[in-house]
Structure formats: structure tokens, C-alpha cells
Amino acid sequence: MKIAIIGTGLYSTALTYQLQKRKDNDIYLWTEQESLISKFNKSHKFEFLSKKAKFDSNVYLSNDYSTVLEDASIIFILVSSQFFKSTLSNIKPFYKKNTPIFVGTKGIDLETSTFFSDYTRKYLKCNSYTFFAGPTFASDLILEGPSYLTFAGSNQIGYKKLNRVLPETFEYQFTTDLHGLELCSVLKNIYAIGSGILNGLKVSDSVYYGYLTKITKELQTIIPKIWGEKDTLLTYGGIGDLLMTTNSKTSRNFTFGYKIGSKISQEEKAKYIKENTIEGYLNLQLILKFLNKWKIKNSMIEKIYQIVINEANPIILYDQTIEKNEIF
């Protein structure tokens, strides 16, 4: 089976390392970096991955969309959220609407205020769209241990092909709650900023885990507002991804929050935003707009917004966490 993967970042290349275990898979990765292609063709390795991650002869690298997408049985899109729409524009001339698309890019289109799933299905007119998420770092995919993912979509054609693609080391589950899983993936990046802020403030473990408990309750309240299902929070892509991201000191969202909690200068803050893609920061304003529309008040997200956007004192997040009254 021919598998097309758009993107050659840490996660997409690490996922390829796992997918190559199925020897009937031919994997074509798209990259815009010609230098990366020449280096890969010589060593069959990516310098930014673990040194032991050697790729087999069934893995190919190309900067030509036609070569990567032609006759592909399944397409994975794993690009930064800020490049998602331009990526769809680039693949549209070569895309066939019955080819299942699996997307690991998390986000909401800021121009249309729609989830990437809705935008993609309308723009590409695709019949099979699946979003996936879970508590699995790229570094975990290089290891031989298990990986955990939740896939959300409604078209069973893609799921049947997926069973032929993933190796036995993957444990995965399916849900029809596409928007619920997408929302969990967007909000966990915002909550990770909050985790970083509290760590920057050097709060106690009790306060920190109280925060994690309260944001979990928030998600249970927010998800049904988009007609999602509360149980989606209990999936790998829900609570699993939430806890992994909010506790990850290597996360850009966490690091951004930590810098704010440590009271860095505005110049340093602006510099970090310019040099890094911070998904939680990009989606903060739109999410707060949704919360106001849904009449959700006094949330952790509102406090994070006030700190990050309005430059309020980071201590207000601490005050919110120790507030005795129930939220909402």
C-alpha cells in the first residue's frame, strides 16, 4: 500500500519509522527541503532523530507533490497549524476525493472560525477525513514500546485501511466525535500555557494538581457546547494528551507559559513568539470568543487570556486555582 505523508517534522518522520515495519507499505514523504532529500538518500536517516532510527528501502523522500500523492491509498497530513491551509492548497490539484485523509495537525482556522476538519472537507470535498491525537511524543515513536492514539471520523473506509497500515505496537481507538476530539487537542495547548505559568510562579504540587483537576472539569463543561460528547475526554486523545502536554517541560506552550510566570520582559516574550509556533497562543483569542458565545464565564482559559494577551499579573491564575467556589 502506498502511504503519502505530508511533512517531515519530528512527529511525521518518527511515525514513518513505525509505519515502515509493515513491509507491504511504501511510504512517500513530502518535504520542501532539497538538502534534506540529498542527505536522506545517502544515509537513510534524519539527523534530528535518534541516531538508531535507520529507515528502510520502502521509505522515499520527495519535494514533488505529484510523486508523493499519485496513487496513494492513504494520506497523512502532519504540518504546523500555521501552514495547514497552504498545504491543502498545494495538494488540491493532486487529491482524489475518495482517498482517506488522516490529520494530526491541531487547530481552528482563524479566518473562518471553523475546525480544520470542516474546512478541509469543504475545500477538498473529501469523503473520508479522520483526525487523530494521543499521548505519544515523537521520541516515544522511535522506541519499541506501545503508542496510544484516538482516531475521530465517520467514514469507515479510512479505518479499514488504517488496520492494514499501523504496526502491532500501536494501541488505538475510534470515536465519531470529531469536533470533541479536535477541541480537546486545541484546548490542551492553551492549558499547557497555564501549566507553564504556574510552574514559573513556583506553586506547590497541591496547587498545580488542583489546576489539572479544574481544567479537566472545564473540558467536561466545554465539550458539550459544540455538541461533542463528554466521554471523549476519557480517550487517549482527551485526558491522555491533556496530561502529557500540560506536564511536558519540552512543550513550546509550556515553555512560553513558564517564561511569563517567571516574569520575563515584554521584549523576551515577543522574541519567543516570533521564533516559535505556539499553538495555544495562536488560538487563545478565538477560543475566548467561543466561550463568551457559549456564556462560559470565570474559566481558566479566560485567566490565561488576561495574562498572555492583556498582560495581567500571572498571580491571577494562582488565585483562580485556589478559589473555593465551583467554576461556571
Side-chain angles (χ1 to χ4, degrees):
M1 179 184 297
K2 180 177 179 179
I3 302 168
I5 297 183
I6 308 301
T8 47
L10 279 173
Y11 196 91
S12 55
T13 50
L15 178 63
T16 301
Y17 182 75
Q18 287 290 336
L19 297 182
Q20 70 175 348
K21 292 180 179 180
R22 299 286 291 263
K23 297 307 177 185
D24 54 343
N25 288 339
D26 285 321
I27 308 166
Y28 285 74
L29 289 92
W30 178 87
T31 181
E32 63 180 355
Q33 304 176 55
E34 291 189 21
S35 60
L36 192 64
I37 297 173
S38 59
K39 290 179 181 178
F40 180 81
N41 289 339
K42 291 178 182 178
S43 65
H44 258 246
K45 289 185 177 183
F46 292 102
E47 294 177 352
F48 47 82
L49 286 183
S50 168
K51 291 182 179 179
K52 77 169 190 174
K54 177 89 176 200
F55 290 80
D56 296 334
S57 58
N58 61 337
V59 177
Y60 308 89
L61 200 58
S62 174
N63 60 358
D64 179 59
Y65 279 107
S66 176
T67 299
V68 172
L69 294 171
E70 186 178 14
D71 298 324
S73 297
I74 188 170
I75 300 170
F76 286 89
I77 300 179
L78 289 152
V79 297
S80 175
S81 58
Q82 62 182 329
F83 301 121
F84 187 76
K85 289 178 68 175
S86 61
T87 297
L88 293 186
S89 177
N90 289 330
I91 71 174
K92 185 174 183 177
F94 312 100
Y95 175 70
K96 297 178 181 178
K97 68 178 183 179
N98 290 323
T99 306
I101 293 178
F102 288 83
V103 176
T105 303
K106 305 159 180 67
I108 297 175
D109 177 37
L110 302 181
E111 292 182 8
T112 60
S113 298
T114 57
F115 286 107
F116 281 163
S117 60
D118 295 330
Y119 180 86
T120 304
R121 287 187 291 188
K122 182 178 180 180
Y123 183 73
L124 291 183
K125 298 180 173 56
C126 60
N127 293 329
S128 181
Y129 182 103
T130 301
F131 173 72
F132 65 95
T136 302
F137 285 128
S139 56
D140 298 328
L141 289 170
I142 299 300
L143 304 176
E144 298 303 320
S147 300
Y148 303 89
L149 292 172
T150 302
F151 292 88
S154 58
N155 192 300
Q156 297 300 314
I157 296 175
Y159 290 166
K160 290 178 181 178
K161 289 190 176 182
L162 191 68
N163 290 329
R164 295 170 51 194
V165 167
L166 296 180
E168 294 181 358
T169 51
F170 277 72
E171 182 172 329
Y172 51 97
Q173 57 195 186
F174 302 118
T175 175
T176 57
D177 187 14
L178 178 55
H179 285 168
L181 189 66
E182 284 183 293
L183 186 62
C184 283
S185 294
V186 170
L187 295 188
K188 55 103 175 179
N189 288 322
I190 296 175
Y191 289 131
I193 294 175
S195 292
I197 291 172
L198 291 177
N199 274 266
L201 291 171
K202 296 182 170 31
V203 302
S204 67
D205 287 347
S206 295
V207 170
Y208 179 64
Y209 285 101
Y211 167 78
L212 294 184
T213 302
K214 289 193 173 186
I215 62 174
T216 303
K217 183 177 178 63
E218 267 193 25
L219 272 169
Q220 283 186 314
T221 302
I222 294 172
I223 291 174
K225 295 293 183 179
I226 59 154
W227 307 286
E229 302 169 9
K230 281 188 176 182
D231 286 349
T232 300
L233 181 59
L234 303 179
T235 64
Y236 297 135
I239 191 68
D241 204 4
L242 175 70
L243 292 177
M244 183 186 75
T245 305
T246 52
N247 282 287
S248 170
K249 292 179 173 56
T250 61
S251 161
R252 290 186 295 268
N253 295 286
F254 182 99
T255 301
F256 179 59
Y258 184 85
K259 288 178 177 293
I260 293 174
S262 302
K263 298 184 178 178
I264 61 169
S265 67
Q266 290 303 314
E267 291 75 16
E268 289 178 283
K269 175 183 171 183
K271 184 174 184 291
Y272 190 80
I273 292 172
K274 183 178 180 180
E275 294 177 351
N276 296 274
T277 300
I278 311 166
E279 290 88 352
Y281 172 76
L282 294 175
N283 288 305
L284 245 179
Q285 196 157 357
L286 182 59
I287 289 298
L288 187 67
K289 176 183 174 182
F290 285 153
L291 295 190
N292 290 333
K293 177 182 177 182
W294 299 329
K295 294 180 169 48
I296 294 176
K297 303 295 183 182
N298 200 34
S299 66
M300 293 292 182
I301 292 174
E302 183 180 340
K303 293 299 183 290
I304 295 169
Y305 177 91
Q306 291 171 359
I307 295 166
V308 174
I309 305 300
N310 295 339
E311 300 178 8
N313 192 323
I315 200 68
I316 67 172
L317 187 63
Y318 169 81
D319 293 338
Q320 176 79 351
T321 302
I322 65 172
E323 172 64 48
K324 293 182 180 179
N325 296 327
E326 286 291 325
I327 58 175
F328 309 129

